[in-house]
Amino acid sequence: MTDQPQRAGFVALIGEPNAGKSTLTNYMVGAKVSIVTHKVQTTRARIRGVAVEGNSQIVFVDTPGLFQPRRRLDRAMVAAAWGGAADADITVLLVEAHRGVTEGVKRILEGLEDIGKGRTVALAINKIDKVKAEVLLALAKDLNERYNFAETFMISAEKGHGVAALRTWLAERLPKGPWLYPEDQIADLPMRMIAAEMTREKLTLRLHQELPYQLTVETENWEERKDGSARVDQIIYVARDGHKGIILGKKGETIKAVSQSARAELEEFMGRKIHLFLQVKVRPNWLDEKERYSEMGLDFKDGNA
C-alpha cells in the first residue's frame, strides 16, 4: 500500500455481443469470472469482477451485450446492461476494431446520450491486431466525433495489449473511499452461480450450432463434505424434448464430456475436489418463469414488451 488515498468504484463495460467485455473483465481480474465463448449473448447476468490497481479497487460490471431484443430474455438482458452502465462510476464502451461503427454501435451511442450525461465514459477499441494503424486512427476519430469520450484506448483484451494503461486510468479516476470488497475476493457472485456459468459455457462450446440459446443451468444443491471436497448438483433446463437428446448425446457421451470439463475448471478455480452431477430437465416455458430470471441475476419485469 502507498500513502495515496484509497479509491473504489464500479466500472461498467458495455458494447455489442462479442465485443470482448468478458475477456477484458477476466484479464483485468486475473481470473476467469465471466463466461467467454465464441458465441454472442453468452453473458446474462451483470457479473462483477474485482481488480486491484495500487490503492484502488476496481469493480467491473460485465454487462450482457447490447443488441436488438426480440424475446423476454433478450429484453431483460438489455435492461441489465443499461442498468449496469447507469449505476457505474465510469463506463467503458468496447468497439471491435475490425467491425467499426456498426448499426449496433450507433444505437449504443444514442443510448449513451441519455445515460452518459455528467458521467465519465471512455472508449476502448478492442482487437486492434485485426486492422492496420490507419484504420484504427480513422475509427477513433469517427467515434470521438460522434460522442465526447473522456479518453480513448487501443487494446487487445485477449493478448493484454493496452490493458494496463486502461486499468491505471480507471484506478486514478474512481471516487475516494474505502474498498467495497475484501482484498482476496475476485467476484461478488455466489459460487453456485459461478459454477452454473462454467457448466453453461462448456455446453455452449460443445454444442456449437446444434442448440439455440434456449437452455439455462442452475446449481440446485451445494454440499460441503468433511474431506474438504464439495458435491454440486446442477440442472440443465431446456425448452424441448429434442434438446434433451442433443445435450445427453449418443450413449450419454456429450453430457459426460461437459461434466468432466466443467468439473475440472471448477476444481482449478476453487483449488479443491468437486463432485459434479448434472441432470437435464425439459421445461417448455422456462423462458417465461420468474424463478429462472432470478437465478440469472436478471429482473423478470425488465423482459416485459
Side-chain angles (χ1 to χ4, degrees):
M1 291 293 204
T2 67
D3 54 4
Q4 292 294 314
Q6 276 199 333
R7 294 176 182 269
F10 294 92
V11 174
L13 305 176
I14 65 168
E16 288 189 281
N18 263 6
K21 300 176 295 298
S22 296
T23 305
L24 182 58
T25 298
N26 291 334
Y27 196 95
M28 289 277 196
V29 174
K32 191 165 180 182
V33 295
S34 192
I35 185 169
V36 180
T37 73
H38 59 286
K39 284 177 171 280
V40 298
Q41 300 168 33
T42 45
T43 304
R44 287 177 178 169
R46 277 177 274 174
I47 294 175
R48 293 193 179 112
V50 185
V52 172
E53 178 71 24
N55 254 31
S56 298
Q57 189 180 64
I58 312 167
V59 185
F60 288 98
V61 184
D62 175 25
T63 61
L66 288 162
F67 54 97
Q68 281 287 69
R70 293 186 177 85
R71 307 169 298 169
R72 174 185 282 275
L73 178 61
D74 296 344
R75 290 191 291 273
M77 285 164 66
V78 168
W82 281 121
D87 295 342
D89 297 294
I90 302 172
T91 298
V92 179
L93 169 63
L94 262 77
V95 174
E96 291 177 279
H98 60 295
R99 295 188 65 213
V101 184
T102 61
E103 288 305 311
V105 168
K106 287 177 188 173
R107 282 196 298 272
I108 294 170
L109 291 170
E110 286 169 16
L112 280 174
E113 293 294 344
D114 294 328
I115 70 130
K117 288 190 180 76
R119 295 177 180 276
T120 302
V121 182
L123 170 66
I125 299 177
N126 191 23
K127 307 180 184 178
I128 55 172
D129 47 320
K130 294 196 173 189
V131 298
K132 292 187 171 146
E134 55 267 29
V135 176
L136 272 179
L137 293 171
L139 177 58
K141 183 172 182 288
D142 184 3
L143 285 162
N144 276 277
E145 284 170 355
R146 292 170 187 265
Y147 188 86
N148 185 26
F149 292 103
E151 193 67 59
T152 299
F153 295 89
M154 308 286 191
I155 67 165
S156 167
E158 189 177 4
K159 295 179 177 161
H161 302 320
V163 175
L166 173 57
R167 187 164 54 200
T168 301
W169 185 86
L170 292 170
E172 290 169 352
R173 278 153 188 80
L174 290 175
K176 290 178 185 174
W179 286 6
L180 302 163
Y181 294 94
E183 195 170 344
D184 59 352
Q185 186 168 341
I186 58 167
D188 81 341
L189 276 182
M191 270 316 304
R192 293 167 73 103
M193 195 183 276
I194 289 177
E197 280 291 279
M198 285 180 177
T199 301
R200 191 164 69 87
E201 178 190 42
K202 301 308 174 200
L203 284 161
T204 307
L205 286 168
R206 176 93 188 180
L207 298 169
H208 301 295
Q209 307 302 323
E210 290 180 72
L211 201 65
Y213 294 94
Q214 294 177 359
L215 70 81
T216 191
V217 180
E218 288 179 19
T219 303
E220 187 184 40
N221 186 52
W222 189 293
E223 179 192 329
E224 295 290 343
R225 293 187 167 176
K226 288 178 182 174
D227 63 1
S229 67
R231 176 188 169 118
V232 181
D233 293 276
Q234 294 181 335
I235 299 175
I236 302 163
Y237 287 110
V238 292
R240 297 182 198 150
D241 278 319
H243 296 169
K244 184 175 181 178
I246 292 169
I247 289 174
L248 291 173
K250 192 176 179 183
K251 295 182 180 176
E253 285 173 4
T254 302
I255 196 164
K256 185 179 177 185
V258 166
S259 179
Q260 286 173 342
S261 183
R263 177 177 52 78
E265 186 165 321
L266 194 52
E267 286 182 338
E268 186 183 349
F269 187 83
M270 298 196 72
R272 60 194 177 108
K273 189 157 182 62
I274 301 292
H275 309 276
L276 180 62
F277 298 90
L278 303 181
Q279 260 187 297
V280 187
K281 288 189 178 178
V282 179
R283 289 185 79 105
N285 300 314
W286 78 261
L287 278 161
D288 296 311
E289 291 175 6
K290 191 174 181 179
E291 298 75 19
R292 306 285 82 81
Y293 285 71
S294 300
E295 280 288 330
M296 287 185 266
L298 299 172
D299 192 328
F300 184 71
K301 296 194 296 292
D302 287 340
N304 293 332

